[in-house]
DNA sequence: TGTGGTTAGTTGCGGACGCAATGTATCGAG
DNA sequence: CTCGATACATTGCGTCCGCAACTAACCACA
């Protein structure tokens, strides 16, 4: 029963870091989305394409892909529906476990990510990394690693 | 992989900073949402309540509120619809400009934010700030300010 | 004063996602 | 081998939100 009655508010440094992070991150993400849309993709599509293109055989089980994207099973089902309609991915039945469906990258999907990725990386630089010097980039990496280590424990 | 010879890919520090930021931020946001839901709110509700509670008269024009929340006009209309149904806010006609609708905080809305805010701040500490020492917090604030200054120019 | 351009807000429509329920396949205990 | 528990994927339903279209109000300028 301590500390509940009187909340410890954020001081100036803390508020600046947290609100700044929220604002900066959402702004950068919005800009990156605009860039992706020029290639006919959105951020969800891009995440699927990146994961598949880095996977052995350019294929992943639906459940593993959903976990990698922090997406619910139904959310991924519809995401893959949409991308399959556009020819970016295809479904394939697994031979070893007949419960699982594999999402596989099509040639069109490979072409789409190869077209979009350089622009996306360029955006990450222009909207984000270019504003930070090498020390700040390393400090930020350290900080985010510390936060993530805390969230899994 | 899809950098080919042309695009300048991210080096190790840059990749760690960017991917770490994405992962850490989404994880922290998800945790904060869970906390808010224990108070019957989601992150969108919380943003509305914070803005209204800090506004003079606990009232804001719909268009200003939409801009503050980075929400489209229709998105805010439905958000306020939902919150008005739950009694957290009310609509009020403006006297000086009959085009504008004011969103105003109700006593129930004030009670909701006063109940949720201490838990939310505590969550920002537990999931985020507690993993960073004072230097990292200041460095992060500097970095995010630099990024934001770049995005408005 | 009247008229065209601008601003505020809402609504129809469609897309994206989560939850709960469902069907099917697999696995483990006996 | 059988059966209950578990895992995978999909579907129905509800919610949230953006875009485009629309109405109402304001404003500038002739």
């Amino acid at each position: 029963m301590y500390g509940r009655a009187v909340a410890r508010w954020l001081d100036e440094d803390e508020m600046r870091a947290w609100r700044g992070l929220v604002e900066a991150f959402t702004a950068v993400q919005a800009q990156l989305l605009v860039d992706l849309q020029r290639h006919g993709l959105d951020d969800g599509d891009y995440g699927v394409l990146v994961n598949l293109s880095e996977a052995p055989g350019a294929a992943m089980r639906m459940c593993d892909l959903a976990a990698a994207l922090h997406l619910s099973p139904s959310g991924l089902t519809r995401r893959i529906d949409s991308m399959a309609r556009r020819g970016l991915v295809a479904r394939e039945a697994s031979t070893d476990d007949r419960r699982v469906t594999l999402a596989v990258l099509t040639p069109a999907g490979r072409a789409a990510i190869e077209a979009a990725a350089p622009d996306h990386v360029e955006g990450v630089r222009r909207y984000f990394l270019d504003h930070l010097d090498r020390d700040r980039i390393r400090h930020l990496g350290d900080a985010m690693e510390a936060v993530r280590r805390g969230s899994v424990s």
Side-chain angles (χ1 to χ4, degrees), chain A:
Chain A
M1 281 309 162
Y2 57 94
R4 181 60 67 161
V6 178
R8 191 173 40 138
W9 196 241
L10 303 183
D11 65 35
E12 191 178 338
D13 285 343
E14 292 168 334
M15 185 67 91
R16 194 169 79 104
W18 173 244
R19 288 214 170 168
L21 175 62
V22 171
E23 287 297 317
F25 185 75
T26 56
V28 169
Q29 266 202 331
Q31 272 304 318
L32 292 174
L33 175 57
V34 170
D35 292 353
L36 285 176
Q37 285 170 335
R38 276 195 271 275
H39 293 275
L41 302 174
D42 65 16
D43 44 351
D45 298 332
Y46 190 78
V48 170
L49 294 177
V50 167
N51 273 275
L52 289 182
S53 69
E54 293 176 349
M60 285 180 73
R61 299 152 43 114
M62 292 289 282
C63 60
D64 294 340
L65 189 51
L69 297 168
H70 307 298
L71 214 56
S72 72
S74 67
L76 181 63
T77 288
R78 270 114 181 192
R79 170 66 58 178
I80 296 297
D81 285 347
S82 158
M83 296 180 69
R85 274 195 301 272
R86 288 174 287 154
L88 300 171
V89 300
R91 283 187 168 86
E92 194 174 293
S94 165
T95 53
D96 19 303
D97 187 337
R98 288 185 318 196
R99 289 172 301 183
V100 318
T101 303
L102 297 174
V104 301
L105 201 60
T106 62
R110 167 106 27 213
I113 180 99
E114 286 179 355
D119 272 11
H120 182 76
V121 171
E122 179 58 28
V124 172
R125 287 196 181 285
R126 184 162 53 247
Y127 308 130
F128 186 65
L129 295 170
D130 282 351
H131 304 293
L132 308 174
D133 60 27
R134 181 58 47 166
D135 271 357
R136 281 181 175 167
I137 289 175
R138 269 195 283 263
H139 282 130
L140 182 62
D142 294 345
M144 292 304 108
E145 188 176 330
V147 170
R148 274 200 298 165
R149 267 206 316 275
S151 79
V152 283
S153 67

